[in-house]
Amino acid sequence: MRAVYAESFSTEDPLAGLVVGDRPVPEVPDGWTRVSVKAAALNHHDLWSLKGVGLREEALPMILGCDAAGVDEDGTEVIVHSVISDPGFTGSDETTDPKRSLLSERHQGTFAETVVVPRRNVLPKPPGLTMAEAACLPTAWLTAYRMLFVRGGVRPGETVLVQGVGGGVATALITLARAAGVRVLATSRSESKRARALELGAHAVFASGERLPEKVDAVMETVGRATWDHSIRSLRPGGRLVICGHTSGAQPDDAQLTRIFFLQLSIIGSTMGTRDELADLVRFLESSGTKPLVDRTLPLAQAKEGFAAMDSGELVGKIVFTL
């Protein structure tokens, strides 16, 4: 079958190890099911995998991709939840399973004609979303949903700052927060991306690092080192900072520990989301009429073009590969 996979790692030139070619169709273990992929969304996780982050060399070649929408063995249109918990895990939140993984880490990913996943990891695709839109949900949009409403406890009427508009998580944060009646502020280095954030529903936008006219209840942080100081300084006393990643680096120049304890700020980590939260997200989109923002769709054969766009940061929303 045709697939996009990692053949080698490189921190300097990650796309050098990216291959579009043929791979064997995965076998179906007991309790798993086969999904014919119709659309698969690109994530920063895929780019990091090509740098050797979260993916072991002995697992190569590995088909990349966490997200997919397609058709299962019964002919049902489905969305694939990409968090694979250990078979022995008995907890209610699979994101807390220390042995969990994402598709494309231990198990072959979604950038292929076929992906194989546990039966529990598929749920019906809502008819109101296209395959491309549905493929955006399991990683970026689920991450945003959990950051806002599960880990962050954001409520209607509160004010939230979204750092670094452009990628899938940031655009999802703006869209979901606005749909839930939250006041949204957003930042970006790019004037065009700030304008796009206003179109998405942000109430006000600012250049990266610009002092805000008001303190916020919560900050949604995906950038890390480059925005950490600004995020901490933007919070009101008792505010919350929810972080799901650090695309600019993991070590801030100043952790702002004094401000954190003196103002009693909460620093909250958030990773992906559960299958039940993905179902909640789907219902939220259906009831609100909200849809994911797709920056562009590309045939799977042009995957390198999509990876290059993500690597350069030239996107607003999700890049989706279609089959």
Side-chain angles (χ1 to χ4, degrees):
M1 65 176 183
R2 298 296 288 174
V4 174
Y5 60 94
E7 186 176 60
S8 61
F9 302 139
S10 172
T11 55
E12 300 300 322
D13 184 13
L15 272 62
L18 184 68
V19 178
V20 180
D22 291 324
R23 296 296 300 152
V25 177
E27 296 183 1
V28 185
D30 290 341
W32 291 47
T33 187
R34 193 189 311 274
V35 175
S36 297
V37 178
K38 301 302 179 186
L42 181 64
N43 293 287
H44 273 98
H45 180 274
D46 304 306
L47 197 58
W48 285 107
S49 293
L50 289 168
K51 297 179 180 181
V53 179
L55 181 58
R56 295 168 296 127
E57 190 167 1
E58 55 266 32
L60 299 178
M62 173 63 74
I63 298 172
L64 299 174
C66 304
D67 295 347
V71 179
D72 70 7
E73 294 172 320
D74 298 326
T76 302
E77 294 187 341
V78 296
I79 302 172
V80 174
H81 179 230
S82 64
V83 180
I84 310 296
S85 56
D86 185 78
F89 180 69
T90 57
S92 59
D93 184 344
E94 55 265 38
T95 67
T96 63
D97 175 8
K99 296 182 179 180
R100 74 187 184 278
S101 66
L102 294 181
L103 285 171
S104 77
E105 292 179 348
R106 299 176 196 161
H107 308 284
Q108 299 296 321
T110 59
F111 293 167
E113 295 175 17
T114 300
V115 66
V116 171
V117 296
R119 287 197 181 95
R120 186 182 185 278
N121 283 64
V122 298
L123 62 160
K125 181 187 80 67
L129 295 180
T130 66
M131 285 289 184
E133 291 168 340
C136 299
L137 301 184
T139 296
W141 279 68
L142 179 57
T143 294
Y145 181 89
R146 183 178 175 92
M147 288 177 74
L148 284 166
F149 307 123
V150 181
R151 300 291 291 152
V154 174
R155 297 291 180 264
E158 289 192 308
T159 300
V160 165
L161 171 64
V162 178
Q163 293 280 26
V165 175
V169 175
T171 54
L173 286 164
I174 293 171
T175 306
L176 291 172
R178 180 63 188 251
V182 176
R183 178 170 167 77
V184 184
L185 312 183
T187 69
S188 175
R189 293 174 298 175
S190 164
E191 184 177 351
S192 63
K193 289 182 180 180
R194 293 196 296 272
R196 195 72 178 95
L198 290 172
E199 294 174 4
L200 288 170
H203 292 83
V205 294
F206 305 89
S208 296
E210 183 179 348
R211 185 172 181 175
L212 305 183
E214 61 186 290
K215 299 295 186 181
V216 301
D217 298 291
V219 175
M220 300 295 119
E221 176 66 79
T222 65
V223 181
R225 178 176 180 174
T227 55
W228 186 263
D229 183 77
H230 184 255
S231 292
I232 295 295
R233 292 180 180 276
S234 298
L235 284 166
R236 65 161 176 79
R240 297 97 71 196
L241 186 155
V242 186
I243 180 169
C244 75
H246 45 72
T247 56
S248 69
Q251 300 295 332
D253 295 327
D254 182 355
Q256 294 285 338
L257 296 181
T258 301
R259 187 178 291 267
I260 289 171
F261 77 72
F262 188 74
L263 296 181
Q264 302 187 76
L265 306 180
S266 296
I267 309 300
I268 304 167
S270 188
T271 297
M272 291 293 293
T274 68
R275 183 198 183 280
D276 291 342
E277 288 163 2
L278 180 55
D280 291 341
L281 167 61
V282 168
R283 285 190 288 269
F284 180 86
L285 296 181
E286 287 184 296
S287 63
S288 66
T290 305
K291 294 186 177 184
L293 175 64
V294 177
D295 179 88
R296 73 195 76 175
T297 59
L298 296 167
L300 191 66
Q302 297 178 22
K304 287 189 176 182
E305 179 182 333
F307 273 82
M310 173 166 281
D311 193 29
S312 68
E314 295 301 318
L315 73 162
V316 177
K318 297 295 293 177
I319 294 173
V320 180
F321 302 136
T322 56
L323 296 92

